[in-house]
Amino acid sequence: MRLSVPPESVEILLGERSYPILIGSDLLSEPRHLAAVPTGSAALIVTNTTVEPLYAATLREALAARFRAVHVLSLPDGEAYKDWRTLNLIFDALLGHGCDRKTVLFALGGGVVGDMTGFAAASYMRGVPFVQVPTTLLAQVDSSVGGKTAINHPLGKNMIGAFYQPRLVLCDLSTLSTLPARELSAGLAEVIKYGPIHDLDFLDWIEANIDALVARDPAALAHAVRRSCEIKALVVGQDERETGLRAILNFGHTFGHAIESGLGYGKWLHGEAVGCGMVMGAHLSRRLGGIDDAFVRRLTALIERAGLPVVGPALGADRYLELMRVDKKSEAGEIRFVVIDKPGSATVRSAPDAMVREVLAQCCAA
Ligand code: NAD
Ligand code: GLY
């Protein structure tokens, strides 16, 4: 069943850097949804080899009404390519096409394309406008919103980047119909995240609707994307550059990033690592007194129902600790974790290594 979801807008309020997040079905083909985009002589659609054949022509056609030249650059697909070498392909294309500083970049794809295109936009000619057109659930509920852009370094995930806000986020829910099931589950990890850290009513709603979400019910997906964007906009609106509050959006990510870089980027999906990382984060929160066993079990069951792994890979506790020290939240070599201090609320704090080792022993494969 295909249901048409009329566009709704969530505003992210950041003074002169404010912008709308448009959420609805079949948005890509409608030039009128691009009204907030600055006009320029050229547009560059940055996408990848998987997404280009699915959606680039539709977006290109819509952009042709506003830009004299619309170029398309297709990057290799995968987290393993979120690096300097691939980023440089964007600069090669911009310079090769003679793009000036009014050129608008469009990131058409998942979080990998979005993070790299945003970083390219932040640095090409010291900053050109860009638009996020997220086509994965993960990118629609998280990565396209809030202006974090980055590439990976072999020694650490998302270690090189910039805060740089897009001018518009266009979440076309119709694009989720072609997303592989494993990627949909990965996106659900970031949806689930918002419940324990901020909104218990939303957690109840996700639990009641998890089967509908996995089955891609359009109305359920629309609500999940909208509520996730509302929460993210609220948090980022208060703390754009993560001086405090915004860090709660990284619940599960310290453990998760260690899984991703420890296994090699791309082996586990980012959302899978975050899902499992949230299980570890919940166990740590329980040990620190923020939640009880029942809440840990509740969260673990939901993550599992979303189709995500709940047992961590056996990297060894020493390796986990080593990897987790390379984290943007670390201070003077001390790892800092996002923990739930009571259901629906989170904070950032350190934990004794011995306690973290207990959590890893409990949560990882032997
Ligand atoms: P991804 O970008 O690798 O996309 C997942 C896969 O789905 C890719 O193979 C992609 O080609 C394919 N795909 C994309 N859209 C599709 C569609 N509509 N139909 C079919 N296939 C499609 O992964 P992701 O999960 O979207 O993003 C993960 C990345 O996002 C990570 O690098 C992570 O660090 C980053 N991230 C950034 C932020 C942020 O705030 N900037 C937040 C969360 C995650
Ligand atoms: N994904 C975490 C953040 O945007 O802060």
Side-chain angles (χ1 to χ4, degrees):
M1 181 189 59
R2 196 172 147 78
L3 188 81
S4 177
V5 180
E8 287 186 276
S9 182
V10 175
E11 286 291 316
I12 179 152
L13 297 173
L14 292 166
E16 62 182 12
R17 293 184 308 289
S18 300
Y19 54 93
I21 304 159
L22 279 189
I23 303 160
S25 48
D26 300 317
L27 302 186
L28 274 191
S29 53
E30 283 284 348
R32 72 192 157 93
H33 297 311
L34 299 164
V37 179
T39 42
S41 55
L44 175 68
I45 299 172
V46 182
T47 183
N48 71 23
T49 48
T50 305
V51 178
E52 183 193 353
L54 297 170
Y55 303 112
T58 308
L59 181 60
R60 185 178 201 157
E61 207 171 300
L63 293 182
R66 295 178 66 87
F67 295 91
R68 197 153 34 84
V70 182
H71 310 290
V72 179
L73 171 66
S74 207
L75 303 175
D77 183 4
E79 184 74 35
Y81 294 100
K82 193 177 161 183
D83 60 7
W84 274 117
R85 197 185 288 262
T86 312
L87 177 73
N88 218 29
L89 297 177
I90 306 178
F91 300 128
D92 290 347
L94 286 164
L95 289 163
H97 290 300
C99 289
D100 61 23
R101 59 175 18 154
K102 288 199 164 165
T103 302
V104 184
L105 269 59
F106 288 79
L108 175 69
V112 170
V113 163
D115 279 13
M116 278 198 293
T117 307
F119 190 28
S123 41
Y124 184 65
M125 293 197 178
R126 302 201 181 93
V128 293
F130 89 110
V131 173
Q132 289 275 14
V133 189
T135 61
T136 63
L137 180 62
L138 186 140
Q140 296 190 352
V141 300
D142 191 356
S143 66
S144 66
V145 174
K148 277 190 181 175
T149 75
I151 55 168
N152 298 328
H153 187 280
L155 295 180
K157 169 102 178 138
N158 291 337
M159 277 293 148
I160 300 154
F163 286 99
Y164 193 67
Q165 299 297 341
R167 301 297 182 93
L168 166 73
V169 180
L170 205 62
C171 292
D172 187 335
L173 300 167
S174 311
T175 61
L176 302 181
S177 63
T178 52
L179 200 61
R182 191 178 163 200
E183 299 290 350
L184 190 88
S185 290
L188 288 173
E190 302 279 17
V191 175
I192 292 168
K193 169 186 83 178
Y194 293 110
I197 62 165
H198 182 80
D199 186 345
L200 288 182
D201 288 344
F202 188 41
L203 185 62
D204 290 342
W205 181 89
I206 301 167
E207 273 177 325
N209 289 277
I210 191 68
D211 296 336
L213 288 166
V214 170
R216 299 176 208 228
D217 174 79
L221 284 174
H223 180 76
V225 173
R226 193 186 64 243
R227 186 65 194 134
S228 299
C229 287
E230 282 169 357
I231 297 170
K232 184 144 189 192
L234 191 81
V235 171
V236 173
Q238 290 174 63
D239 181 22
E240 181 184 8
R241 289 184 164 247
E242 198 168 308
T243 54
L245 178 70
R246 183 168 178 168
I248 67 168
L249 299 176
N250 288 320
F251 177 52
H253 285 57
T254 306
F255 291 107
H257 285 170
I259 294 173
E260 283 187 88
S261 50
L263 288 176
Y265 298 120
K267 190 109 190 251
W268 275 33
L269 303 179
H270 174 71
E272 291 173 338
V274 167
C276 189
M278 287 194 290
V279 174
M280 296 173 176
H283 279 278
L284 185 62
S285 306
R286 207 262 309 146
R287 282 185 160 73
L288 290 166
I291 51 175
D292 59 14
D293 264 331
F295 197 82
V296 178
R297 281 197 300 274
R298 181 183 173 193
L299 203 54
T300 307
L302 181 59
I303 290 166
E304 202 162 18
R305 282 178 71 200
L308 293 160
V310 293
V311 176
L315 302 176
D318 288 344
R319 181 77 178 125
Y320 267 101
L321 286 164
E322 179 189 28
L323 289 164
M324 289 193 294
R325 270 183 238 290
V326 189
D327 183 275
K328 292 186 287 308
K329 290 185 296 304
S330 291
E331 283 179 7
E334 186 179 68
I335 308 168
R336 295 168 77 245
F337 296 91
V338 179
V339 293
I340 306 168
D341 52 0
K342 63 173 193 247
S345 163
T347 190
V348 181
R349 56 169 294 181
S350 57
D353 274 7
M355 188 185 281
V356 178
R357 284 177 186 277
E358 283 170 20
V359 168
L360 291 167
Q362 188 173 1
C363 298
C364 293

